[in-house]
Amino acid sequence: PTPTELEHESSLHCGSPATLDSFLQAARDWRIDVSTAPENVAFFYFAGHGVIRNRLDQILLLEDFNDGPGGLLRNSFDVNSLYHGMAPSRQYSRIGRTQFYFIDACRNLPQQFRQFESLSPTPAFDVRIAELRDDRIAPKFYAVAVGGVAYAETEGQTIFSRALLRCLQGAAAERDEQGCWRITISTLTRTLGATVNALLQEHATEQPVVVDGLGRDAVLCYLPKPPQVQL
């Protein structure tokens, strides 16, 4: 958190800095928690700096990035190792089968990367051989397409986080057969990108949201009452 954020929200003082060591420990604890029952639901959200090395890549930089010895990307991790490391395996056969991933970071190739033959981030997990069927519902929502940059307000939220909260508070809601208002993967997929670009309209730019991953539709949350809309 920035000094301004801490001034307005004192609860942000708690929690460890997002260094490589603290992230790897948190990821390990998270996977153990999720692995207690197949009905568990996992939610991962990262906001910060991101880069790519190729079109299939997404590397997320941690707080101690480029700080100290080792390779340039030692204090970073790749999303693929996290995502595939959360798949069912013999060791984690009871892992929660519903998982949501939100990657709020840039996906551009820095000019400096072109100087190197290879660059290796730290894996979040060692990915196991596919011993069990990967039957997860596990969409990945990327804040921007490959090659693009993710925007934020100065001393404020990221545009993607503002749009996501607006969608979860009702902009992406639909009513089911029982009359309950809910947000699902499909309604969020239809709404999130348009909401991001609506927030960016005054800046005359776009940030195309990309949805990837496994599985069928699923409910993210229910609303306690019908959503409010502007008339």
Side-chain angles (χ1 to χ4, degrees):
T2 65
T4 304
E5 290 171 332
L6 291 171
E7 182 182 338
H8 287 86
E9 186 56 66
S10 59
S11 65
L12 294 176
H13 280 284
C14 64
S16 303
T19 61
L20 177 65
D21 287 344
S22 63
F23 165 74
L24 292 176
Q25 183 63 52
R28 175 182 179 274
D29 295 343
W30 179 57
R31 183 165 66 171
I32 291 171
D33 285 344
V34 179
S35 297
T36 57
E39 296 78 23
N40 286 342
V41 177
F43 188 98
F44 177 83
Y45 189 103
F46 179 95
H49 292 299
V51 293
I52 62 170
R53 296 166 300 177
N54 54 63
R55 295 186 62 82
L56 303 177
D57 212 10
Q58 175 71 79
I59 298 169
L60 302 178
L61 310 183
L62 295 163
E63 187 165 331
D64 50 354
F65 168 70
N66 202 26
D67 180 16
L72 178 64
L73 293 182
R74 183 174 69 89
N75 293 330
S76 69
F77 70 98
D78 64 295
V79 171
N80 285 333
S81 69
L82 179 81
Y83 185 80
H84 295 301
M86 290 290 289
S89 64
R90 296 201 184 279
Q91 184 176 2
Y92 299 104
S93 61
R94 291 177 55 78
I95 198 165
R97 295 306 203 266
T98 304
Q99 303 172 7
F100 301 106
Y101 296 83
F102 296 89
I103 314 300
D104 189 357
C106 296
R107 302 182 75 188
N108 57 330
L109 175 66
Q111 185 64 34
Q112 294 91 328
F113 280 23
R114 303 179 192 275
Q115 305 171 29
F116 298 94
E117 190 170 297
S118 65
L119 290 169
S120 300
T122 298
F125 303 120
D126 289 326
V127 178
R128 294 174 176 271
I129 294 172
E131 304 163 313
L132 303 180
R133 180 166 59 99
D134 193 349
D135 55 355
R136 291 178 293 167
I137 299 172
K140 292 179 285 187
F141 291 83
Y142 290 98
V144 67
V146 170
V149 294
Y151 295 100
E153 301 163 328
T154 303
E155 292 293 332
Q157 286 178 251
T158 65
I159 298 300
F160 183 77
S161 67
R162 279 185 60 196
L164 178 60
L165 288 172
R166 185 174 294 185
C167 288
L168 296 179
Q169 289 163 355
E174 69 172 8
R175 192 167 60 177
D176 65 14
E177 296 79 7
Q178 288 74 43
C180 298
W181 289 90
R182 64 185 185 178
I183 289 95
T184 68
I185 295 171
S186 61
T187 64
L188 188 61
T189 299
R190 291 197 302 268
T191 311
L192 185 55
T195 307
V196 165
N197 288 324
L199 292 172
L200 284 170
Q201 216 167 22
E202 62 186 78
H203 303 290
T205 189
E206 290 187 343
Q207 183 179 312
V209 173
V210 174
V211 184
D212 192 7
L214 296 168
R216 57 197 181 280
D217 204 7
V219 176
L220 275 85
C221 63
Y222 288 93
L223 301 182
K225 58 184 179 181
Q228 294 186 343
V229 295
Q230 292 198 6
L231 298 177

